[in-house]
Amino acid sequence: MDKIRGYYNRFKIMNPKNTELKLGIIIFFIFIAILKGIRNIQFSWELLISLGVFIVSMTFHEVAHGYTAYIFGDDTAKRAGRITLNPLKHLDIAGLILPLLILLSGSKFLIGWAKPVPVNFYRLKPERLGSFFVAIAGIVVNMLIAFIALVFIRLLGNRLDISGLPMTILIYLYLINLLLAFFNLIPITPLDGGRIVYSVSGKKVRDFYDRLEKYGILIVFLIVYTGIFSNVFGYIFNFFIDLTGLHMGVVLK
């Protein structure tokens, strides 16, 4: 009960206005998604592999934020013990609810977030440039992991069984990191895309994002639940899938 109260208090700090209403809407979508997908979900080794790759990828994503902030003069994440590849330091219950929702909706892809790395943006030198690089660092790392996975897929594609464990891990590393990168590019705070826009914008845009962030979590849940993300970026993902040269039969719907 204390842990539940702690998560509620943290959610309330992030969403001080209409806290109960926002939480109620999120719980409603979770309930609907569970009713919709629980009959169809099938547990498999691929599911476990995708979850493992998701956790590892998110860990690298968050470490990138913290380490970049450290380079630009803010050691908040370092002092909090967050510049570590230990995934237990980065896991967040709320961020794991989102991939659960996506799984229950029938998608094979996972999107979510880890516990945000603490950053004191006022300590970054220079502040604006530092804020931009901190915001984009996680996306860059996800794209780099995806690129490395793609190289190995291209090199080993004709030598390894596409359904074997090594190739399955490489494919999920490629796809999940691409999805994380593109998803975080959505220009809505608290996603990195919103932070990027905030870091390069003037006062009016910043004021708008300050107001928007109060409802950002609800907008993110709506984007995922309604399939807007899948519909908009589906063709882009298919293009990157084609780059592998494999006939995976993987199409984002």
Side-chain angles (χ1 to χ4, degrees), residues 179-192:
L179 285 163
L180 287 172
F182 285 123
F183 185 75
N184 275 286
L185 276 173
I186 296 175
I188 298 173
T189 49
L191 298 180
D192 296 337

Side-chain angles (χ1 to χ4, degrees), residues 34-48:
I34 291 175
L35 289 181
K36 178 182 178 182
I38 198 168
R39 295 179 181 178
N40 300 323
I41 189 170
Q42 296 179 351
F43 291 94
S44 64
W45 284 110
E46 285 196 10
L47 174 60
L48 294 178

Side-chain angles (χ1 to χ4, degrees), residues 198-252:
Y198 190 92
S199 68
V200 298
S201 299
K203 186 177 184 304
K204 289 185 178 180
V205 175
R206 287 190 169 206
D207 290 343
F208 171 76
Y209 268 88
D210 285 337
R211 295 191 298 271
L212 178 68
E213 187 165 3
K214 300 173 184 178
Y215 306 97
I217 187 65
L218 288 182
I219 297 173
V220 171
F221 268 86
L222 286 172
I223 288 174
V224 172
Y225 183 80
T226 59
I228 295 175
F229 176 68
S230 299
N231 294 332
V232 172
F233 292 101
Y235 291 108
I236 298 176
F237 294 142
N238 287 335
F239 167 77
F240 280 98
I241 289 169
D242 290 339
L243 290 180
T244 65
L246 301 176
H247 299 289
M248 292 186 291
V250 179
V251 179
L252 191 64

Side-chain angles (χ1 to χ4, degrees), residues 94-109:
L96 290 177
I97 290 176
L98 191 56
L100 176 61
L101 279 173
I102 298 173
L103 272 176
L104 292 175
S105 69
S107 174
K108 293 180 180 294
F109 299 105

Side-chain angles (χ1 to χ4, degrees), residues 6 19 22 25 28 30 49 56 83-84 86 99 101 111 113 121 127 130 138 144 155 178 182 199 212 216 233 244-245:
T19 304
K22 295 177 184 177
I25 293 174
F28 172 77
I30 293 173
I49 291 171
V56 170
I83 305 181
T84 173
N86 178 2
L101 279 173
I111 293 296
W113 61 83
F121 290 95
E127 182 181 339
L144 180 60
L155 290 175
L178 280 178
F182 285 123
S199 68
L212 178 68
F233 292 101
T244 65

